[in-house]
Amino acid sequence: MIFQQIIWQIFHKLKEERTISAPFHLLRGKRSGQTIQDVGIFHLHQYFGILPKLSRKKYDEEINKLIEQNFITVFENGDYTLANNFISDNLLPFDGWHYRGNEHLFFARLSLIVQSLSHKEAGVMAFIPIQKDPQVQKWVRNFLISNEYQGGTLQQQLLNEILISLEQAEADTIVKEVLIKRLAGYKIPGYTWQQLSIYENKDEMDIQLLYISCLHTWLNIITLNEKDFPLLHKIAEDIRIHIPLSDSAFQTAQLFKEGHSLENISQYRRLKMSTIEDHIVELAMNDPHFSINQFISNEEMEQVLTAVEDYDTRKLKVLREILPHLSYFQIRLVLARGDTTSAT
Amino acid sequence: MQLESILQQRFGYSSFRSGQKEVIEQILNGKDVIALLPTGMGKSLCYQLPGYVLNKTVLVISPLLSLMQDQVDQMKLFGEKRVIALNSFLNKEEKNRVINGLEQYRFIFISPEMLAQRQVQQKLNRIELSLIVVDEAHCISQWGFDFRPDYLRIGEMFGTSRSPILALTATATNKVLEDIELYLNMKEPFKYIHSVDRPNIHLSKMSFSNREEKLEWLFQHVSNTAGPGIIYTQSRSKTHSISETLLQNGISAASYHGGMDLLDRQFIQQQFIEGTLDWIVATNAFGMGIHKQDVRQIIHESIPSNMANYMQEIGRAGRDGNDAVAILLYSEHDEELAKFVGIDDLPLEQHVDIFEEYQRNGQDATQMLKQGEISETAFRVLNYWMEQKTPNEVKTIFQNMKIEKMQKVEEVMKLITSDTCMRETLVHYFGQTLNDKPEQCCINCGLDLAQLLIAKEEKNLSSFSMTWQERITNLLTKKS
């Protein structure tokens, strides 16, 4: 049910202007120009990449449920319309744009640390690590050594940090319980998704979404408060994405900031001009200090924003027909900026 | 040094279990060895101990990622640091690093597929191995022909002047033993064949006229008798539906299959071992490498696809030597489904034609995989045989495989329909003779389940209702 609400919410934000597959790519965090730009144009940052492993089969199943319940009607060409009777309040908070699946790495580190400290506390120094990824194991080993886990105070410090920070996270108690039930320790096994789903009487997918949402909320508290939560902050190292540009867009941005023209960059990087433009749009979306005035005047920007409002559309093709003197690139830049531009 | 004193020093045991010493002595004499030792008889000691005596790298070829990981974890747990699993848990960088420094390890675990990679081969050619171990060697026969053809290549990979090979298995018929010897290019191997019989496992069966009645009986039985136990069924979806029904009836159960989250699988194992979980509902992929000694019941909700699987699966009961029960359930037409599942993944005649078509047009046959014309497993198998034989021969081979798989289901059906001793049927299947029958041998010899099983006790699942604060506090602070 939660999952269906999220899909419906994405469709709703996309204003019926994209195909039935658009939410799928968004949820998986597809790094294509189209998906990334949609994030900016339709303000979908929160849902970007929250389910990197979502299968097409599962997605189609959920779409079919939405269709069966008449919340959505799909036409043969992939277009769709929404019924207005599926209003979901209390939407779960996500911050997909800044985590993109990295929250699982945070939790993997945390769970191995908790398992280690739990055994340490019980005086059992040999155990089978619950996390098999050698990088996670190496990271945790370094963490434990540099925090002098032998001293015996680390577990109490970590416990205090978890108790205080998780208390602050705005999430249902049940969800916090789910989160902590995914941890295990000496003679305390964790619970599987199937078990949690049956005990809480929710779909497995919904339980996982609750868990991801709670992790995002919690991580936002942790990453903003290094002073209060130094250990958790360390465990969340490199988890939050600070420059959310794709690698390639980042390279283009560097060259552009060094003063190269788009044409030069295109030649130098041997990429199509349209690709370079995609990168600039991505940059405009992510960097509020990046001025788009070098490509489009304030007056023209106003024209685009007015057209969006008057015709109630964000379809590029339609906007281009209304404003034939502007290029697609210029229109996309304005859309990428969205409301933030008009506010300044 | 005396083998016994190494056993005592390294492993803390005062004496060998039957078969171990014979096998180890032959290995130390440089001979190839095939050892059939039942589950729980300490197979891994047969290569671990020589690893310390010979002081050169031991290479262990192992079929399953989870099994490999488990063995490495176990050895590390007992203090061996120079052990590594070369598998897909490693990223490219780490894999290169491990391969470059491969000679520093005493024990290397590897899958046949990884072994076939050129980079690995080149490195291994430059390392002096003391021993090559093929663990679960019946996989050569069970999987090599129709599932994982790289199993058939192991022998040729090591050439003629190689280190001795130890092939280990818990279940092998004479035909399988022949396959092992042939495909591993073994030279007059020493064979240690232990009886496959497990006298403390008591065998029963039940027949029903339809699936509903069978499930009804299963739920009743599990509600009334104590575990811990494993219920085997055919598909992932059935593991879900059965475990859910059990849970709704207040029985502590969980599904377990290969498609699960890795963390979830470990939670289940830990719960099962700690005793908070009574029943695991599993597909056949489960269990190689679970270390629970006191499993009391194995129930087959669906009939297994062959006798070898059945033997393996019931072998997970009663490792502590105490009485355990294996119950085989059957409802009419079950064998049809078992046959279908068995042959479902085999390549079809038309696949052979398509493969040929691509080759004739000078195209890469992997196209058919990309076009979704064939499953990955089927393609791997098809590709292997097309390298070896003509298209018509390949068609015949697949046709024969299909027939053989169906016959294997029929063999299992004999256990269901015949009224001769079940234990005898099993043991004879492996080409052995049964010398002694235990008390309460099987349902055909006379068996009273009530005497072997104890009644289910009510369990308190209080730990689930803990607050999150209590749980994390419990995890991180000493329990008073």
Side-chain angles (χ1 to χ4, degrees):
Chain A
M1 197 58 184
I2 296 173
F3 188 38
Q4 289 173 39
Q5 283 173 353
I6 289 172
I7 295 178
W8 195 88
Q9 179 68 18
I10 295 169
F11 276 130
H12 182 69
K13 285 200 168 198
L14 286 169
K15 298 191 180 219
E16 306 178 3
E17 293 187 358
R18 290 289 180 270
T19 64
I20 201 81
S21 297
F24 175 70
H25 297 310
L26 178 76
L27 290 167
R28 284 180 56 107
K30 188 178 178 191
R31 311 212 51 151
S32 72
Q34 175 77 68
T35 304
I36 301 261
Q37 282 168 40
D38 280 355
V39 167
I41 295 174
F42 300 104
H43 297 282
L44 289 162
H45 300 78
Q46 56 170 330
Y47 297 121
F48 183 79
I50 60 173
L51 294 170
K53 289 180 185 162
L54 177 64
S55 72
R56 185 73 207 202
K57 187 165 160 270
K58 175 75 187 162
Y59 178 76
D60 288 343
E61 276 170 25
E62 297 299 322
I63 293 289
N64 284 334
K65 283 185 206 159
L66 283 169
I67 294 170
E68 276 165 27
Q69 298 166 87
N70 292 320
F71 291 128
I72 183 167
T73 312
V74 181
F75 304 105
E76 269 179 27
N77 62 0
D79 288 352
Y80 61 89
T81 54
L82 296 178
N84 277 324
N85 52 359
F86 192 56
I87 305 300
S88 45
D89 38 48
N90 260 333
L91 278 172
L92 280 177
F94 287 97
D95 192 356
W97 191 247
H98 288 112
Y99 295 110
R100 304 184 185 184
N102 282 357
E103 66 274 12
H104 298 296
L105 178 57
F106 165 76
F107 198 79
R109 289 173 185 167
L110 181 68
S111 82
L112 187 53
I113 290 169
V114 167
Q115 189 199 16
S116 309
L117 292 176
S118 173
H119 281 81
K120 161 85 180 58
E121 191 71 0
V124 178
M125 281 327 288
F127 61 92
I128 291 172
I130 204 152
Q131 296 293 338
K132 304 299 182 194
D133 184 334
Q135 283 142 293
V136 171
Q137 293 184 356
K138 197 171 145 196
W139 194 96
V140 167
R141 195 176 298 125
N142 290 338
F143 173 87
L144 291 172
I145 291 168
S146 65
N147 285 289
E148 294 167 359
Y149 75 105
Q150 297 280 18
T153 55
L154 181 59
Q155 41 269 55
Q156 191 60 49
Q157 275 173 294
L158 183 63
L159 175 62
N160 289 343
E161 284 190 21
I162 292 173
L163 287 173
I164 295 167
S165 58
L166 194 54
E167 186 65 51
Q168 288 175 14
E170 278 180 41
D172 279 353
T173 310
I174 289 175
V175 184
K176 293 177 187 174
E177 275 170 15
V178 165
L179 196 81
I180 300 299
K181 282 189 176 116
R182 294 290 295 174
L183 295 171
Y186 178 69
K187 290 207 184 283
I188 306 178
Y191 293 88
T192 67
W193 294 121
Q194 190 202 14
Q195 289 169 329
L196 293 168
S197 119
I198 288 169
Y199 294 138
E200 302 296 350
N201 201 15
K202 290 185 167 67
D203 280 355
E204 269 185 50
M205 182 59 112
D206 286 359
I207 288 279
Q208 292 184 18
L209 285 164
L210 287 165
Y211 161 90
I212 291 166
S213 164
C214 185
L215 273 178
H216 287 177
T217 313
W218 190 25
L219 276 165
N220 279 341
I221 292 171
I222 292 166
T223 47
L224 285 173
N225 294 293
E226 183 177 2
K227 257 194 212 134
D228 295 337
F229 312 119
L231 294 172
L232 287 172
H233 191 272
K234 178 71 186 169
I235 299 170
E237 174 184 79
D238 298 331
I239 296 295
R240 191 181 162 92
I241 293 163
H242 291 286
I243 309 163
L245 288 184
S246 62
D247 287 347
S248 188
F250 183 74
Q251 284 182 39
T252 297
Q254 288 300 105
L255 291 167
F256 186 74
K257 283 175 184 166
E258 285 166 21
H260 299 279
S261 72
L262 299 192
E263 287 79 12
N264 281 346
I265 299 172
S266 163
Q267 277 171 11
Y268 175 72
R269 298 202 58 202
R270 296 187 190 176
L271 292 171
K272 274 191 242 157
M273 194 59 190
S274 62
T275 308
I276 301 297
E277 287 178 357
D278 279 349
H279 292 164
I280 298 296
V281 173
E282 211 181 315
L283 181 63
M285 213 175 84
N286 284 295
D287 184 354
H289 305 297
F290 179 76
S291 163
I292 61 170
N293 278 124
Q294 35 200 331
F295 301 106
I296 184 168
S297 70
N298 277 334
E299 193 190 334
E300 288 166 330
M301 263 193 265
E302 273 312 313
Q303 289 172 355
V304 176
L305 293 169
T306 314
V308 167
E309 221 161 276
D310 290 352
Y311 293 83
D312 189 26
T313 185
R314 285 166 182 269
K315 273 191 179 159
L316 281 175
K317 216 175 154 202
V318 178
L319 291 171
R320 180 81 205 284
E321 276 167 22
I322 302 164
L323 305 162
H325 58 292
L326 297 179
S327 69
Y328 276 117
F329 175 53
Q330 289 173 309
I331 298 172
R332 279 164 57 206
L333 276 174
V334 180
L335 290 177
R337 263 308 154 81
D339 307 333
T340 52
T341 325
S342 56
T344 50
Chain B
M1 208 197 291
Q2 279 287 309
L3 290 180
E4 274 82 1
S5 62
I6 301 174
L7 181 72
Q8 180 69 51
Q9 275 173 20
R10 276 279 168 190
F11 302 93
Y13 301 127
S14 53
S15 63
F16 285 104
R17 292 192 186 182
S18 61
Q20 287 177 333
K21 193 173 182 188
E22 293 89 330
V23 168
I24 290 168
E25 279 173 346
Q26 294 294 330
I27 291 169
L28 296 179
N29 287 334
K31 274 199 74 87
D32 287 347
V33 178
I34 298 177
L36 191 159
L37 291 168
T39 326
M41 291 288 288
K43 281 200 297 281
S44 56
L45 188 98
C46 296
Y47 59 81
Q48 288 184 22
L49 196 143
Y52 294 105
V53 177
L54 298 167
N55 243 331
K56 274 181 241 154
T57 304
V58 175
L59 183 74
V60 186
I61 301 162
S62 180
L64 292 180
L65 197 64
S66 52
L67 181 64
M68 226 183 276
Q69 194 65 46
D70 181 68
Q71 281 161 323
V72 170
D73 285 343
Q74 289 292 326
M75 287 175 81
K76 282 189 175 167
L77 194 61
F78 290 101
E80 176 56 62
K81 290 208 162 68
R82 287 164 58 194
V83 53
I84 187 85
L86 202 49
N87 61 28
S88 52
F89 280 124
L90 303 171
N91 65 27
K92 212 174 158 198
E93 218 171 278
E94 287 163 336
K95 192 181 139 194
N96 287 336
R97 192 172 46 79
V98 169
I99 291 175
N100 280 331
L102 210 52
E103 60 277 355
Q104 64 174 304
Y105 296 102
R106 195 191 292 274
F107 298 100
I108 302 167
F109 288 82
I110 194 168
S111 68
E113 287 77 15
M114 185 74 89
L115 184 63
Q117 290 179 12
R118 187 181 298 166
Q119 187 194 10
V120 177
Q121 288 267 303
Q122 283 172 344
K123 182 70 188 182
L124 280 176
N125 281 336
R126 278 179 269 129
I127 297 176
E128 226 181 322
L129 299 173
S130 61
L131 181 63
I132 300 160
V133 183
V134 182
D135 201 7
E136 311 287 347
H138 56 274
C139 293
I140 291 172
S141 222
Q142 190 177 326
W143 284 345
F145 304 108
D146 60 12
F147 181 35
R148 295 173 66 176
D150 281 323
Y151 255 105
L152 304 182
R153 296 188 171 116
I154 297 175
E156 66 191 65
M157 282 184 225
F158 290 102
T160 45
S161 59
R162 53 154 176 80
S163 321
I165 292 184
L166 165 64
L168 289 167
T169 178
T171 40
T173 62
N174 289 331
K175 163 78 172 57
V176 172
L177 293 173
E178 281 166 27
D179 281 342
I180 292 173
E181 190 173 337
L182 177 69
Y183 282 95
L184 293 179
N185 291 335
M186 291 176 119
K187 296 162 245 170
E188 297 168 10
F190 169 76
K191 290 180 192 164
Y192 184 88
I193 310 295
H194 195 282
S195 168
V196 292
D197 182 41
R198 297 275 306 278
N200 63 321
I201 301 174
H202 306 274
L203 307 167
S204 187
K205 60 180 174 181
M206 300 280 290
S207 290
F208 304 88
S209 55
N210 59 58
R211 185 159 188 262
E212 288 69 35
E213 278 178 29
K214 179 173 72 178
L215 285 174
E216 183 52 35
W217 181 90
L218 175 68
F219 295 139
Q220 277 299 323
H221 177 79
V222 173
S223 303
N224 296 329
T225 58
I230 304 173
I231 297 166
Y232 281 103
T233 186
Q234 241 146 8
S235 64
R236 291 175 182 181
S237 65
K238 278 193 196 169
T239 68
H240 276 274
S241 61
I242 293 172
S243 60
E244 273 185 42
T245 312
L246 290 176
L247 275 165
Q248 279 149 10
N249 286 298
I251 293 156
S252 150
S255 68
Y256 190 101
H257 54 74
M260 280 169 75
D261 191 303
L262 197 63
L263 197 57
D264 274 5
R265 293 217 313 243
Q266 297 180 85
F267 287 164
I268 301 263
Q269 294 219 16
Q270 202 187 352
Q271 291 174 12
F272 199 44
I273 287 165
E274 303 284 349
T276 49
L277 180 65
D278 288 334
W279 289 90
I280 285 182
V281 188
T283 56
N284 316 41
F286 166 82
M288 287 201 213
I290 199 152
H291 298 279
K292 191 165 174 68
Q293 301 297 312
D294 61 344
V295 174
R296 297 271 75 88
Q297 296 202 52
I298 304 277
I299 301 176
H300 277 83
E301 188 273 336
S302 311
I303 57 169
S305 48
N306 57 58
M307 295 283 260
N309 281 1
Y310 184 64
M311 201 65 190
Q312 289 252 330
E313 286 158 12
I314 65 171
R316 282 159 204 149
R319 289 195 186 180
D320 55 6
N322 295 331
D323 285 331
V325 168
I327 308 172
L328 180 56
L329 304 186
Y330 171 79
S331 63
E332 271 175 45
H333 310 301
D334 275 1
E335 68 272 34
E336 284 155 33
L337 189 59
K339 283 177 189 169
F340 175 76
V341 172
I343 62 172
D344 192 31
D345 226 10
L346 281 179
L348 305 170
E349 283 205 359
Q350 72 202 61
H351 289 136
V352 178
D353 296 334
I354 299 172
F355 193 101
E356 246 194 308
E357 181 80 23
Y358 276 113
Q359 285 192 323
R360 208 179 306 127
N361 298 334
Q363 282 172 301
D364 191 349
T366 49
Q367 282 297 328
M368 58 195 294
L369 196 56
K370 291 185 189 118
Q371 301 291 330
E373 291 168 304
I374 189 170
S375 78
E376 224 177 295
T377 311
F379 180 77
R380 203 165 53 211
V381 172
L382 179 60
N383 192 39
Y384 173 83
W385 286 107
M386 291 298 276
E387 280 173 13
Q388 315 276 332
K389 308 272 179 187
T390 69
N392 275 334
E393 285 170 337
V394 174
K395 283 183 186 174
T396 316
I397 286 170
F398 290 146
Q399 190 55 35
N400 290 340
M401 280 181 186
K402 201 169 146 184
I403 294 166
E404 204 181 318
K405 289 206 163 214
M406 293 174 134
Q407 281 168 347
K408 285 190 168 164
V409 175
E410 286 301 327
E411 282 162 2
V412 178
M413 281 306 292
K414 273 186 219 149
L415 270 183
I416 307 272
T417 52
S418 157
D419 51 15
T420 52
C421 168
M422 288 177 82
R423 188 176 307 275
E424 215 165 73
T425 311
L426 270 174
V427 170
H428 285 176
Y429 173 81
F430 289 98
Q432 301 184 349
T433 46
L434 184 66
N435 298 323
D436 285 310
K437 285 188 188 179
E439 296 232 345
Q440 304 250 34
C441 172
C442 73
I443 192 161
N444 289 342
C445 298
L447 174 84
D448 184 9
L449 277 185
Q451 276 190 29
L452 292 164
L453 296 172
I454 53 171
K456 182 184 178 304
E457 278 174 55
E458 284 307 315
K459 248 196 193 156
N460 188 4
L461 292 169
S462 63
S463 69
F464 198 83
S465 53
M466 251 189 246
T467 67
W468 68 266
Q469 289 95 339
E470 285 167 348
R471 182 171 165 90
I472 188 68
T473 307
N474 263 348
L475 280 164
L476 285 173
T477 55
K478 205 169 275 170
K479 288 105 230 165
S480 47

